Amino acid sequence: MKRLLLLFIVAAWLPAAAQVSVSSLKVNHMTEPSGVVDAEPVLSWVVESPDRNVMQQAYEVRVYRDGRSVWRSGRVESDDCVTVAYGGEPLASGTRYEWQVRVWDDRGRVSKWSERSSWLTGMMTAGEWQAKWILPEEQTDASPMLRKEFSVSKPVASAVAYITSHGMYEASINGAKVGDAHYAPGWTSYDKRLQYQTYDVTDMLQKGANAFGLVLGRGWYLSLLGWSSGEHQIYAYDRMAALAQIVVTYRDGSREVIATDGTWRSSTGEIVHSTIYDGETIDARLIQHGWNTAGFDDGSWRGVTVADYPMDNLVSSDSEPVVTHEYRTPVEVITTPKGEKVLDFGQNMVGREIFTYKGRPGQEIVISHAEVLDEKGNFYTVNLRSAKAQSRYICSGGEDRFEPSFTFYGFRYLKVEGIEGDLDPEDFKAAVIFSDLAEAGSFSSSNEQVNQLQSNIQWGLRGNFLDIPTDCPQRDERLGWAGDAQVFFRTATFNRDVQSFFRKWLKDLAADQHADGQVTDIIPTIEGLVGAGRTGWADVATIVPWQHYMAYGDKRILENQYPSMKAWVDFMVGQCTEPYLWNTGWHYGDWLFYSVDNDTSGVSAVTYKPLIQQCFFANSADVTAKAAAVLGLDKEAAYYADVAAKAREAFCNAYLTPAGYLVSATQTAYVLALNFDMLPEAMRPVVAARLADKVREYGHITTGFLGTPYISHVLSEWGYTDLAYMLLLRQQYPGWLYPVTMGATTIWERWNSMMPDRTIPNNGMNSFNHYSYGAIGDWLYRDAVGLHETSAGFKTMAVKPHVGGGFTQMRAEHVTPYGRAAAEWRDAEGLFTLEVTIPVNTTAEIYVPSASADEVMLDGAAVAASKDASLEGYADGYTRVKVGSGTYRFEVKR
């Protein structure tokens, strides 16, 4: 009887326990990362339950090393599941740690222990390097190959490789590639921060003879980047070199280190030339088969030179690698009016081609890359400027497989020269390559052109988030322009998990920041190419860290970047010619705003640059004050809040008339004044009406890079959502849907990168993959659908849709740090529905468009009667309802 009673209790308990579970374990917000060197890495997880209104009440974490427990947190009363710091014994270098977690919810239910996840540490101290920098005795344009054989005579417990280079590298052990990354060690401020990567290579070793191989390319480190009077600005440092070591731990506890030193051998192979802008040349006749396997005869190879290069700049890589995400095949083979043989892949992308071909020995095949065809249908590369962007392949006479290794291209079209007869599209494919950023959201609607715009935004991100956020991926530029990254950051967060990606890039921003606080225009910087301290560009130092914190909820980003934030604001304060009025220096202003040739009537939307400066100055001081408050720096928070207030007062004195006009009566001027709270409260609706008048006057958008990200938000905030939709849906130049009507598959640099007759103006600066104007994506998620955070990391959120534009449906999903949030509204004849999903461990306020609270229904009954939701009130055409986690469907009969 007792046994039956026990079985009954267990049976009753199991379903209850199953109502809460744990998933998505991450360390430093990455899944099973390698190279972790934080003394207290941050652990995070997602709590799941099918029930409504579930909160985490407590958690327990266990961490193991080689099966031995190194930390047991015990039960911790906390709802934190995003920033839990490791608290166990000191972490050892090159060691894999496993961990798991269980949670209790606010109903007393406990989850099962999660599946174990893991992380691999890097070098916890700099003094562990035994390797020496090595380089070939002779260095040419060809990519060096470096090799070393070694023997394994005992059973291996673990083997961890640490690798970096001057230039790019690809590593192999016993003929197999180490890891799946391209373009390692990545692009950083090399003289201050050169990354190394950490790899678990335990399973790659074999008993007996082994071979460790490295191939080097010039990469960003040694290519000529930038421009200067038509010539590339020299960014090259010295020579291609490698630094690597494998630490082997045997099962008997002994250790051995295989490191780069003077015993390595060097040669060259099939990669005879490779640079970022110009491309790569591969001669298949020069392949040395088996060079990276044991037993290869390297008697003809040369030795290496050991170099005394610095090592104090080495840092462990702490962001996602660049990888291949997918392969695409041609959708059409074209013969252009000029007779060019062209492959169309149907999508502007970034990556490289792969093809197989059996040609004559010495036969040369040249593949050129382009984003568009010109108005006559011919292959168009003028906008690449001095970048050749070509792959050259020389056939061996056998069946050759060609793929570049150390370069990438922005392209939709490939022009193939050197192949006689028709092209076989089955011989070609394109690898789509960008940083390994997880998908973080989706958007869809009843308007297919807007859906294509969303696709263009996503492809713009993919093409330009290749280790750093670049402006464009195709011409002789491909640089980390700070202004582009600043305006697009929040849109990026909704589409991909860019948390670690930007954390890494912001470290380089701080490293390259001038001693006086100025922030360089491009990051990593190229000295002598561009300037620093430009408003809207340098403000990336304050805007992105704060938005990063709000998007992801980890204040470590503020701890890391706060000195940089302060330095930039302090620089602006010091540049003021009148108290708190910053009007000095040269600035880009509202870059690429709407302008008209031979304008004699003032139609061009020129915004006074000092007015723009003052808006960004005040905003940067304001977010620096907020950051200081989060960090508990109360005196500094008060100081920077005072700076912001005085900067706003100076703005009003200098640029605002008593009637609510600004000295620049442009959309951008009014937008920035409203978005950055530059105005007295009573004047704001007046200025908002001025903005609305300007939008109606033109009938289209006139903003450039600095006004575009905010105009739709401001219009919706002040009750002009109809005008925001008018701007969104305009199909003529200038407007977001104009490129869509022209067949664009990415975001263009200019509103008119291509004219209606398909002629292409502005050849000197014209990119067809330039994500900045894609910042409208933020409005689609946060205003049109209405899904946005109200506290850091979406711990609390709101869903407040702005319905209009003739849409009958909109949906957005976003993977928040706490799990998936979603909202979808449908506006059908006679019935409006709003369905929302809120993650466990969070709460939300839902704003349901309605004429009164009485007409809002939840679960088929009046919302006021619901036991799962709390009716908060009615105002401004919305019924406000507070809910916890779960899925809710609201209905309003029309």
Side-chain angles (χ1 to χ4, degrees), residues 351-421:
R352 57 206 195 194
E353 74 283 352
I354 304 168
F355 80 101
T356 56
Y357 185 71
K358 185 175 182 179
R360 302 182 306 276
Q363 180 180 350
E364 183 176 14
I365 299 167
V366 179
I367 295 183
S368 303
H369 303 75
E371 297 182 290
V372 295
L373 304 179
D374 68 14
E375 70 276 12
K376 296 180 181 179
N378 293 313
F379 197 73
Y380 180 83
T381 58
V382 177
N383 68 321
L384 303 185
R385 300 191 300 214
S386 64
K388 294 179 181 178
Q390 288 183 332
S391 299
R392 293 180 175 271
Y393 301 112
I394 300 171
C395 299
S396 67
E399 185 82 14
D400 294 318
R401 180 188 183 276
F402 292 113
E403 178 182 7
S405 294
F406 299 118
T407 193
F408 59 90
Y409 307 99
F411 67 99
R412 172 175 171 171
Y413 300 95
L414 298 180
K415 181 175 71 172
V416 181
E417 299 173 277
I419 293 180
E420 299 173 0

Side-chain angles (χ1 to χ4, degrees), residues 13-22 58-60 75 101-113:
W13 174 83
L14 284 175
Q19 296 303 304
V20 60
S21 60
V22 181
Y59 67 80
E60 182 178 7
R75 175 170 170 150
V101 61
R102 64 175 175 174
V103 301
W104 288 262
D105 69 9
D106 54 352
R107 302 174 193 182
R109 301 177 300 189
V110 61
S111 72
K112 295 180 180 179
W113 283 101

Side-chain angles (χ1 to χ4, degrees), residues 136-154:
E137 290 180 348
E138 290 188 353
Q139 191 157 140
T140 64
D141 284 343
S143 286
M145 301 189 304
L146 307 166
R147 72 183 306 272
K148 167 78 173 182
E149 289 199 21
F150 62 97
S151 181
V152 172
S153 58
K154 297 184 290 186

